[in-house]
Every structure is written in C-alpha cells, then in structure tokens.
Amino acid sequence: MTAVSADSAAPRRRNGGFLAAAASGLGAIFGRSSKPTGTTVVTCAPKRPRTPPLKSNGAHEYDFDLFTIGGGSGGVRGSRWAATQYGAKVAVAELPFQLVSSKFDAGGLGGTCVIRGCVPKKLLIYGSHFHEDIKDAEGYGWKLPAGTEPELDWNKLIEAKNTEVTRLNGIYKRLLDGAGVDFYEGYAKVVDPHTVEINGKRISARYICVATGSRAVKLPVPGCDLPGVVTSDEALTLPALPKKLVVVGGGYIAVEFAGYFHGYGTE
C-alpha cells in the first residue's frame, strides 16, 4: 500500500486588475510608468533595449537591476516582464531539472505547476477517464471485439507525462533566453539586501525577488519515513500503479489524486 500526503494550496488571482497592478508596481520599481486601465492588453512588441546598470547614490554599480531566485511560473514571468517591458537587466536562479524536488539540488524551470503539479496531474486525470469513456461509447454504437477490455500500460503513461513536462521545462528556458534574461543553475541564497550567492559566486543586484514557492513535505507523524509513504512529487512518478492507496488530506489536491488513481483501478 502507498500513502500520499497532499495539502491544499491557496487559489491565485488571474484577473485584469491584478495584472495591471503588478505591471504598475514593476514600472514604479524601474522608474517607468505603466498605469492600470481596467482592461488587460496582451501585446507582442519587440524587446526594448536594456538600460545601463543602475547605480546607487551615483557610486555603486550592480551586476543586475533585478535578480530573481526561483524559476517557476511567477519568477519567470516577472523576470521576463521586467526585462522586455522596462529594459531591466535581469537574472534568474533555479535548481537543476528533476521530476522529484529537493531543497538544495533538484527543481527546474517551470516550477511545481509545470513539473510536479498542475500539468502532470491534469494529464493523469485526463487519462484516467478513458476507461469509462470507452464503456460509455457502447451507448453510441461503438464496441470492442467480444471478450476484450481496455488495458492500461502504466509505464507508457508515465513516460509520456515525463516527456511533456520535460518539453515544457525547455520552453521556459527558451522564454528566458528570448527575453534576454540571464540564467544561473544552482542553489541561490541571499547574502545581504543587494547580494546573492550561487555556486560560490556572489552577484549584486539593485533588487532581489524571492520567488521560490514551496515543496511538498511529509507530515511529521509516526511512520512517515516508512517505505511506501510518499509526497505528491513521488506519487506522480510511481514506477508501478499501486493496488491500494491511502491519501492523507482532504484538500483539492488530495481529492484529485484519489480520483485519478481510482480511475486507473487503484483501490
């Protein structure tokens, strides 16, 4: 039996007012105006030329205007926006790509949503419906040869899911490249208000944005370290479909995981 720990996450606002306010804030930071209009406008304007490195008190020159720690959806989007819309010199730091995350050496551009969250979960949910869809199709005149049943190839399913999230990880890197954002791979930490250290190298920035998000962790309860107790990270990469599964938690993530495993035949 496998046990999965899954906690719910706070919803994110995705409306025009929020985006306009965010754009206005970036404009204030980099000394350029971007007034909210009440209407979200998406443009594909060419990249603006970078401004020279910003200086503090006319003396200190920084390596970057903005250094973002964390290459998930938020960190990448904010960095691209600052670079392309305001001409800021920007860098992003993110851990090396891995399907299962760790604090110091496994992460990847795209972050939780793309690599071990929304995207792979949706792919597995979609796939879990097909068994019932095939049954429902009989009512519309479709049928399988007598005595046959649909058969799941779990390894093929997980391989296809892994291929897709790997592809999206590469797209995030190309998005940064296209915006002229520098990329540093490794564990970054804040040394002081204007200095970041990564891979033993210190880099200065006028502004530092910490966009590290969060990681799934096991609940500190008796038995949490036993074999078969996993987080949502590992649940999305299981080498074999479990016959039985217990999901600890009742948030939307837990319910979705329980639903798709049930769809594939897990008790």
Side-chain angles (χ1 to χ4, degrees):
M1 180 182 292
T2 300
V4 180
S5 172
D7 294 324
S8 62
R12 301 172 184 172
R13 293 183 59 196
R14 300 189 185 204
N15 56 44
F18 180 87
L19 292 173
S24 178
L26 281 171
I29 287 176
F30 295 110
R32 297 161 179 82
S33 129
S34 178
K35 297 180 180 179
T37 63
T39 302
T40 302
V41 179
V42 179
T43 63
C44 298
K47 183 174 63 177
R48 299 182 184 181
R50 285 180 172 176
T51 55
L54 301 179
K55 296 183 178 182
S56 173
N57 299 323
H60 186 79
E61 184 176 286
Y62 298 105
D63 297 318
F64 293 97
D65 300 327
L66 172 67
F67 195 103
T68 302
I69 301 176
S73 298
V76 168
R77 175 59 173 162
S79 299
R80 290 172 56 216
W81 188 273
T84 59
Q85 301 301 310
Y86 301 103
K89 186 178 181 183
V90 185
V92 170
E94 175 57 64
L95 296 169
F97 171 76
Q98 291 290 337
L99 294 172
V100 177
S101 67
S102 67
K103 180 175 176 62
F104 296 106
D105 49 27
L109 289 172
T112 296
C113 181
V114 169
I115 302 170
R116 58 193 72 87
C118 317
V119 171
K121 174 208 66 182
K122 288 176 182 177
L123 293 174
L124 294 182
I125 287 177
Y126 295 156
S128 71
H129 292 168
F130 283 111
H131 188 271
E132 290 184 356
D133 291 343
I134 293 171
K135 289 290 185 183
D136 292 341
E138 293 179 2
Y140 294 88
W142 293 94
K143 64 180 181 180
L144 292 172
T148 62
E149 286 288 333
E151 182 178 350
L152 173 67
D153 186 334
W154 179 261
N155 289 333
K156 184 175 181 179
L157 170 68
I158 298 302
E159 181 181 350
K161 182 269 296 180
N162 293 345
T163 298
E164 176 60 12
V165 299
T166 302
R167 183 186 71 86
L168 294 174
N169 168 256
I171 287 177
Y172 270 71
K173 177 60 167 65
R174 291 194 291 276
L175 288 172
L176 289 178
D177 291 342
V181 176
D182 289 2
F183 175 58
Y184 291 84
E185 188 172 73
Y187 181 81
K189 62 181 180 180
V190 177
V191 177
D192 62 42
H194 296 286
T195 307
V196 171
E197 183 176 307
I198 180 168
N199 300 328
K201 179 181 180 180
R202 294 199 172 189
I203 301 167
S204 63
R206 182 178 182 186
Y207 297 103
I208 298 171
C209 175
V210 179
T212 53
S214 60
R215 292 186 303 110
V217 296
K218 295 179 183 178
L219 296 174
V221 297
C224 65
D225 294 325
L226 292 173
V229 179
V230 299
T231 70
S232 55
D233 280 18
E234 293 87 4
L236 289 166
T237 60
L238 291 176
L241 179 67
K243 293 182 178 180
K244 295 185 177 182
L245 177 77
V246 174
V247 180
V248 181
Y252 74 89
I253 297 174
V255 172
E256 288 172 331
F257 272 63
Y260 82 69
F261 274 109
H262 172 73
Y264 288 119
T266 297
E267 179 183 345

